[in-house]
Amino acid sequence: GAVVSQHPSWVICKSGTSVKIECRSLDFQATTMFWYRQFPKQSLMLMATSNEGSKATYEQGVEKDKFLINHASLTLSTLTVTSAHPEDSSFYICRASGPLQETQYFGPGTRLLVL
Amino acid sequence: GESVGLHLPTLSVQEGDNSIINCAYSNSASDYFIWYKQESGKGPQFIIDIRSNMDKRQGQRVTVLLNKTVKHLSLQIAATQPGDSAVYFCAENIQAGTALIFGKGTTLSVSS
């Protein structure tokens, strides 16, 4: 089946630094990428939706200047957490979606720890 | 806010029992539903899906039931195994290319 990868899988950084997370769809064209954040023992919270070549649409309460999303190609989307703080520590998961509802796959997630 | 919720946050069963995990949704416009399994530290894993024009769909050891009248979705796992221990999420979708709306999740614990 289709595979979505994320890199890195783990990242530990100092407060104030920026972290880039990549999400790649390996064998299908992802027309839409979704970025989620998940805190321990909680459900997935949608952060933003991005269509290839367009600006991302952010959910209410998500700072677009802090969480920069780029979806420059049909196989790659990136999420950059700028000036990360300890409260940004979380599990970040991308979901790649094709043109059909059945074509959607989650990445394995990236765990971010900000010290 | 979330429009999909789960009735029970935890479910404990014995190995070999059948498990039933429930989910309620509120958007009658949703036409596609998915159950995901998430193990600790991993991304959600697709289990089974169902469209609104169906009321039942079976997979390997799993069955999803959809009751549109009461906006209820359930996941049945037959002969539950320790490897089934995980958090299970239901999700609903209105249209291709739009976001999935997730429920809170049910933690399934299977004891030997």
Side-chain angles (χ1 to χ4, degrees), chain B residues 38-57:
Chain B
Q38 187 179 26
E39 296 174 294
S40 180
K42 298 182 179 179
Q45 176 188 355
F46 173 92
I47 300 174
I48 192 168
D49 60 357
I50 189 168
R51 289 206 161 273
S52 59
N53 60 354
M54 304 171 68
D55 53 21
K56 181 179 180 179
R57 192 166 188 216

Side-chain angles (χ1 to χ4, degrees), chain B residues 13-17 61 77-85 108 110-111:
Chain B
V13 300
Q14 292 284 326
E15 182 178 1
D17 287 351
R61 282 201 307 118
I77 305 174
T80 314
Q81 303 169 359
D84 295 326
S85 295
L108 176 64
V110 184
S111 53

Side-chain angles (χ1 to χ4, degrees), chain A residues 32 34 36 38 41-46 49 51 59 91 93 95 97-104 106-109 111, chain B residues 2 31-32 34 36 38 40-46 49 51 89 93-105:
Chain A
T32 308
F34 303 87
Y36 295 82
Q38 185 178 36
K41 299 190 184 300
Q42 294 188 19
S43 188
L44 285 76
M45 304 267 309
L46 179 66
T49 303
N51 293 300
E59 295 298 299
F91 192 49
I93 308 171
R95 178 169 69 90
S97 177
L100 301 175
Q101 285 175 308
E102 289 82 354
T103 312
Q104 45 189 315
F106 280 93
R111 188 161 300 282
Chain B
E2 295 174 342
D31 67 348
Y32 181 60
I34 311 170
Y36 288 97
Q38 187 179 26
S40 180
K42 298 182 179 179
Q45 176 188 355
F46 173 92
D49 60 357
R51 289 206 161 273
F89 293 98
N93 185 237
I94 297 173
Q95 184 179 355
T98 62
L100 291 176
I101 301 172
F102 283 87
K104 292 183 173 64

